Amino acid sequence: MMKKLIPALLLCLLTVGLYSQKVEKGFVSLFDGKSLNGWKISTENPDSWNIEDGSIVTRGPRSHLFYDGKHGPFKNFELKVDVWTEPNSNGGIFFHTDYQESGWPTGGIECQVNVSHKDWKKTGSLYSIASLGLVPVQDKRWWTQHIIVKGKTVQVFLNGLLVVEYQEPVGAKPSERAEKVLSSGTIALQCHDPISVVKYKNIRIKKLPD
């Protein structure tokens, strides 16, 4: 019996390690790898969200998933998310946003997830603010999307490579359709459409001084 228990125990410890080893010093995990505890799905198409092999996966019509846990809200921070996409998929990571029951979030800023979808604004873009047409990541391979917000500056790194550095201009104001200005708020993930399959895991954040 003991011989059978030891491999099982080692497998359990290894599995725990897979989730803990990527939470760097100073960061806290926002996703436990097995449930949506601490997250709130919009009322629009809640079945579009699944958990598969330790990842949050989008499969279905438009919907958004908002962090609603004890660590928020967030103003200045470093956020790291490991992301994986099927070809022709679109998604997004929102910050400084607020829970919204349906529709595209009007609050905050979206950091685009899109390697090969028809939308030319590719992964790492701050949607409709600072756009990239080419990216150093690929579909069907994991990458780390790293967003740093300090005051009025936003930096986006893909696998450690700086791809966007945005300085919000003095006097920036919300547009008629969306706010798209730096403030504070929560994090949200996007399920864009029924054919877009996006996986998010190892979601961790570190608050920075105001």
Side-chain angles (χ1 to χ4, degrees):
M1 178 64 71
M2 182 61 70
K3 291 182 179 179
K4 293 182 179 179
L5 286 175
I6 290 175
L9 179 59
L10 290 174
L11 178 61
C12 180
L13 291 173
L14 177 60
T15 302
V16 171
L18 289 176
Y19 293 116
S20 62
Q21 68 183 356
K22 291 199 174 183
V23 181
E24 299 87 342
K25 183 177 181 181
F27 285 76
V28 295
S29 176
L30 302 184
F31 171 52
D32 63 15
K34 57 186 178 181
S35 74
L36 292 180
N37 290 341
W39 294 82
K40 186 176 182 180
I41 304 175
S42 62
T43 57
E44 183 178 45
N45 304 311
D47 292 338
S48 293
W49 297 95
N50 300 280
I51 297 176
E52 302 172 9
D53 299 324
S55 302
I56 298 173
V57 183
T58 70
R59 295 182 187 276
R62 181 182 66 186
S63 185
H64 291 82
L65 178 66
F66 297 80
Y67 179 72
D68 192 39
K70 64 182 181 180
H71 297 296
F74 309 105
K75 183 178 180 181
N76 294 328
F77 61 84
E78 288 192 49
L79 173 69
K80 295 184 179 183
V81 184
D82 291 352
V83 185
W84 186 99
T85 53
E86 285 281 1
N88 303 311
S89 294
N90 196 328
I93 302 168
F94 287 80
F95 58 92
H96 288 180
T97 191
D98 298 295
Y99 177 76
Q100 189 173 306
E101 290 189 348
S102 62
W104 308 110
T106 58
I109 294 173
E110 177 189 0
C111 189
Q112 175 79 310
V113 170
N114 165 22
V115 175
S116 58
H117 184 269
K118 63 182 180 181
D119 189 337
W120 75 270
K121 300 179 180 72
K122 302 304 182 184
T123 298
S125 298
L126 299 179
Y127 206 85
S128 295
I129 296 175
S131 298
L132 298 170
L134 298 171
V135 290
V137 296
Q138 299 178 24
D139 289 319
K140 302 181 80 69
R141 292 187 180 183
W142 287 102
W143 72 81
T144 298
Q145 199 149 327
H146 182 188
I147 304 166
I148 302 177
V149 179
K150 294 181 181 178
K152 297 299 182 180
T153 301
V154 181
Q155 293 178 311
V156 181
F157 297 81
L158 300 177
N159 287 339
L161 177 67
L162 178 64
V163 294
V164 168
E165 184 166 273
Y166 167 69
Q167 181 72 36
E168 185 176 80
V170 176
K173 296 180 180 179
S175 67
E176 293 181 1
R177 295 182 58 190
E179 291 182 7
K180 297 189 184 302
V181 291
L182 295 169
S183 55
S184 65
T186 193
I187 305 299
L189 306 177
Q190 182 182 83
C191 173
H192 188 273
D193 60 72
I195 65 170
S196 291
V197 178
V198 182
K199 300 179 182 181
Y200 306 93
K201 70 176 182 179
N202 292 325
I203 306 169
R204 61 268 197 208
I205 198 165
K206 176 171 68 174
K207 287 188 174 180
L208 301 175
D210 291 345

